[in-house]
Amino acid sequence: MALRVFEDRNELMDRIKIRGGHRLKGRIPVSGAKNAVLALMPASLLTSDSLTLINLPRLADVDSCCHLLNELGVSTMVARSKGDHPGREITLTADTIASTVAPYDIVRKMRASILVLGPLLAREGEATVSLPGGCAIGNRPIDLHLRALEALGAEIELTAGYVRARAPDGGLRGGIISFPVVSVGATENAIMAAVLARGETVINNAAREPEIVDLCQCLMAMGAKIDGVGNSRLVIHGCDRLH
């Protein structure tokens, strides 16, 4: 079966020819999902204890996330996953935060870097994170991320291509976050900020993708209290600390 038909015979033609009639069978190990991993790794910033993730995919974005977390003071220990998992196992330990600044030269390589904003703000009370596109015009906005954090009491300043966020005295406080449109990244940042906020946070019109469920389940394993996982309305009861 030709996948493409070319009217111009002089144009090179790549084809895949499939001959059916043979039963397929076998087992293929599958590594974890990148979209889930890139949210789970920043969650390590929320605790001074170690967080171990198993079956991470071998991708450049995962390596870039490791690099960014190292810059912030997170130690990383990488090993081969046990059992039949094809991915890697990584243990992240943020016993102390060495820096609350995520610089442009790292963030520009991976848009998911903005996901360190919520955890840093929740734990340290401040965070400075480069916009994914720096000062470039036309890049994907992060307005929903910032509005969500402001609903928890954060003061936000945009300057020289960076987001500077500061929590009020006493830390972030619970609030009501209602997204006008669904955003996976903004939901992830809001969840990670809210788990250490004082009081109850309600997130309306939250994203329901599998990576959101994975993040909530990971945070609950760390001691977070989250109701409504998998639904568009999440209720988060803030904790003093996670483990």
Side-chain angles (χ1 to χ4, degrees):
M1 178 178 67
L3 298 185
R4 296 181 63 189
V5 177
F6 293 85
E7 295 181 359
D8 185 354
R9 293 185 179 182
N10 294 323
E11 187 177 357
L12 291 176
M13 181 170 64
D14 294 328
R15 295 191 303 168
I16 297 177
K17 186 175 290 186
I18 302 172
R19 297 183 177 88
H22 302 282
R23 183 177 178 181
L24 302 179
K25 61 180 180 179
R27 297 170 63 91
I28 300 175
V30 179
S31 63
K34 181 190 78 169
N35 288 346
V37 169
L38 295 181
L40 294 175
M41 292 176 70
S44 65
L45 293 165
L46 292 166
T47 177
S48 59
D49 295 340
S50 296
L51 171 64
T52 299
L53 304 173
I54 298 173
N55 200 26
L56 276 71
R58 300 173 181 272
L59 297 172
D61 275 357
V62 175
D63 293 335
S64 294
C65 191
C66 273
H67 186 194
L68 174 58
L69 293 174
N70 291 157
E71 285 284 318
L72 301 177
V74 182
S75 65
T76 53
M77 184 172 67
V78 181
R80 186 172 182 177
S81 286
K82 302 177 180 66
D84 296 331
H85 299 302
R88 293 175 289 178
E89 176 179 316
I90 185 169
T91 297
L92 306 111
T93 308
D95 50 0
T96 58
I97 302 297
S99 172
T100 57
V101 178
Y104 172 69
D105 61 339
I106 299 178
V107 173
R108 68 181 176 83
K109 299 177 183 176
M110 183 185 63
R111 289 187 178 276
S113 299
I114 196 65
L115 295 181
V116 303
L117 180 60
L120 282 176
L121 183 61
R123 180 171 169 185
E124 294 295 303
E126 63 179 16
T128 301
V129 180
S130 171
L131 294 169
C135 295
I137 296 174
N139 286 280
R140 187 180 305 171
I142 58 167
D143 293 3
L144 296 180
H145 298 245
L146 305 185
R147 291 181 197 173
L149 297 177
E150 286 177 328
L152 302 181
E155 298 176 358
I156 305 291
E157 178 186 7
L158 297 179
T159 177
Y162 279 80
V163 177
R164 301 184 191 277
R166 185 176 297 275
D169 292 340
L172 296 176
R173 56 180 181 268
I176 298 176
I177 300 169
S178 297
F179 289 117
V181 295
V182 176
S183 168
V184 173
T187 299
E188 291 167 339
N189 247 332
I191 291 171
M192 287 190 281
V195 291
L196 291 183
R198 291 180 290 113
E200 179 182 279
T201 298
V202 177
I203 302 178
N204 295 312
N205 202 24
R208 296 181 292 172
E209 273 75 359
E211 53 265 38
I212 299 293
V213 176
D214 287 341
L215 176 61
C216 289
Q217 290 176 340
C218 177
L219 292 171
M220 288 190 292
M222 296 164 66
K225 300 175 182 178
I226 306 174
D227 298 325
V229 176
N231 298 313
S232 60
R233 183 177 186 271
L234 298 174
V235 180
I236 301 170
H237 308 276
C239 301
D240 292 334
R241 69 180 301 272
L242 298 181
H243 54 74

